[in-house]
């Protein structure tokens, strides 16, 4: 099927190909092939979220393999569920693509989605397929809540700010690619396929007062917690020193590594707050403190100036 396009296999031929690649666990009563999927979940509370990725706007076929793009698309949703403290169980894929798209590219991309979900035991249960000028990947994720949801608004003065995962790596990797380089490899890979501390966040969830996955940048996402909770968040520069790899790569292309750390999105690190009497959960480290006061984010007590992070509607 190497050169076949969507036009060759048709919508239903393509759906059959997808169907062959997905697992069918026992909680999935009806999977791909009927009008809708039926799930028999263990928990009464269900958590759901959706994201859209558009070719050339959110991903470039030149920068990543199809499989990487699938991983990244699934990761964005899985991280959102986990940031609520929910165990992901299922994904739905709304896919639009040009009729001349190679089926192998699309199936590789779907394999990436399936693999990323598989890390958490979640499966692809359905979707929709249609044509468009560019590839559009919209994933809806469904998760189960075993404890109370971990919202953004629960941070309290006196608590610690903690994090699991990396900051600035994906942004560094993207900048390197945008300047036409392919290395450092580790940085480029961080953009192509984020490594996300799902399990650390799930294990910690019941201990946390708030949590968010960092997709817009650390400063911006910390501000989301600060505003929702009505607190000030002070980040500690000493806990956020960029790795040598980041420093070298940034200097090489005239960028500021600390800006990557503070404003880079897409690493999907988990940012959380916790009562200071509790032990720091495995996989997390302390990166700041919560104070009473006007909702804002500071670095060692100093105001953060400039652009805080990513806003899709900003110029
Ligand atoms: P309907 O016309 O009833 O909406 P479709 O023909 O769109 O049904 O889909 C048939 C089945 O294939 C459904 O179970 C749907 O969930 C599944 N499906 C369609 N596209 C995808 C996709 N891109 N990924 C996963 N499942 C899909
Ligand atoms: Mg449909």
């Amino acid at each position: 099927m190497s050169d076949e396009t969507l036009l060759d296999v048709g919508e239903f031929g393509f759906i059959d190909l997808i169907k062959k690649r997905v697992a069918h666990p026992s909680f999935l009563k009806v999977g791909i092939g009927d009008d809708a999927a039926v799930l028999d979940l263990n928990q009464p509370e269900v958590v759901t979220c959706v994201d859209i990725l558009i070719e050339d706007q959110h991903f470039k076929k030149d920068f990543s393999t199809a499989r990487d793009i699938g991983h990244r698309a699934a990761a964005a949703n899985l991280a959102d569920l986990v940031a609520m403290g929910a165990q992901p169980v299922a994904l739905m894929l709304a896919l639009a693509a040009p009729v001349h798209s190679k089926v192998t590219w699309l199936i590789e991309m779907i394999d990436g989605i399936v693999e990323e979900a598989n890390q958490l035991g979640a499966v692809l249960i359905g979707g929709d397929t249609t044509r468009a000028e560019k590839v559009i990947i919209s994933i809806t994720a469904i998760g189960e809540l075993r404890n109370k949801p971990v919202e953004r608004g629960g941070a309290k003065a006196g608590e610690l700010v903690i994090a699991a995962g990396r900051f600035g790596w994906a942004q560094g990797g993207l900048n390197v690619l945008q300047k036409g380089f392919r290395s450092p490899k580790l940085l480029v890979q961080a953009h192509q396929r984020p490594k996300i501390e799902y399990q650390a966040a799930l294990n910690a969830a019941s201990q946390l007062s708030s949590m968010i996955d960092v997709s817009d940048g650390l400063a911006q996402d910390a501000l989301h917690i600060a505003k929702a909770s009505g607190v000030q968040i002070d980040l500690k520069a000493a806990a956020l020193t960029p790795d040598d790899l980041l420093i070298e790569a940034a200097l090489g292309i005239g960028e500021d590594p600390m800006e990557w750390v503070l404003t880079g999105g897409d690493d999907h690190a988990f940012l959380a707050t916790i009562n200071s009497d509790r032990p720091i959960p495995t996989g997390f480290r302390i990166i700041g403190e919560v104070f009473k006061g006007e909702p804002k984010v500071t670095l060692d007590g100093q105001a953060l100036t400039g652009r805080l992070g990513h806003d899709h509607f900003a110029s």
Side-chain angles (χ1 to χ4, degrees), residues 11-12 15 18 31-35 93 95 124 126-129:
E11 180 183 342
F12 303 110
I15 293 170
I18 300 175
I32 293 176
D34 215 312
D35 295 315
L93 168 64
L95 177 65
L124 184 63
D128 194 26
T129 307

Side-chain angles (χ1 to χ4, degrees), residues 23-60:
H24 200 106
S26 58
F27 68 80
L28 184 59
K29 298 299 163 193
V30 179
I32 293 176
D34 215 312
D35 295 315
V38 180
L39 301 175
D40 181 9
L41 301 181
N42 296 315
Q43 309 294 332
E45 287 190 73
V46 163
V47 182
T48 183
C49 63
V50 63
D51 260 316
I52 305 179
L53 296 184
I54 298 176
E55 182 181 353
D56 293 331
Q57 192 174 327
H58 302 101
F59 65 88
K60 276 195 189 302

Side-chain angles (χ1 to χ4, degrees), residues 215-276:
S215 53
D216 297 328
L218 172 58
Q220 181 65 67
D221 285 315
L223 186 61
H224 288 144
I225 291 185
K227 283 187 169 163
S229 303
V231 296
Q232 182 193 331
I233 286 184
D234 186 47
L235 301 172
K236 304 266 171 269
L240 295 168
T241 311
D243 287 86
D244 288 346
L245 182 74
L246 246 65
I247 296 174
E248 278 167 37
L251 292 182
I253 56 170
E255 297 283 340
D256 175 358
M258 198 57 188
E259 188 170 326
W260 283 350
V261 168
L262 288 171
T263 68
D266 286 343
D267 287 297
H268 300 287
F270 294 101
L271 177 67
T273 53
I274 189 167
N275 188 297
S276 58

Side-chain angles (χ1 to χ4, degrees), residues 276-287:
S276 58
D277 293 338
R278 293 187 193 263
I280 302 304
T282 308
F284 281 79
R285 61 192 186 280
I286 300 171
I287 64 160

Side-chain angles (χ1 to χ4, degrees), residues 283-304:
F284 281 79
R285 61 192 186 280
I286 300 171
I287 64 160
E289 260 183 87
V290 183
F291 291 94
K292 235 188 347 216
E294 279 283 286
K296 63 178 174 181
V297 177
T298 53
L299 184 66
D300 290 341
Q302 305 289 307
L304 280 171

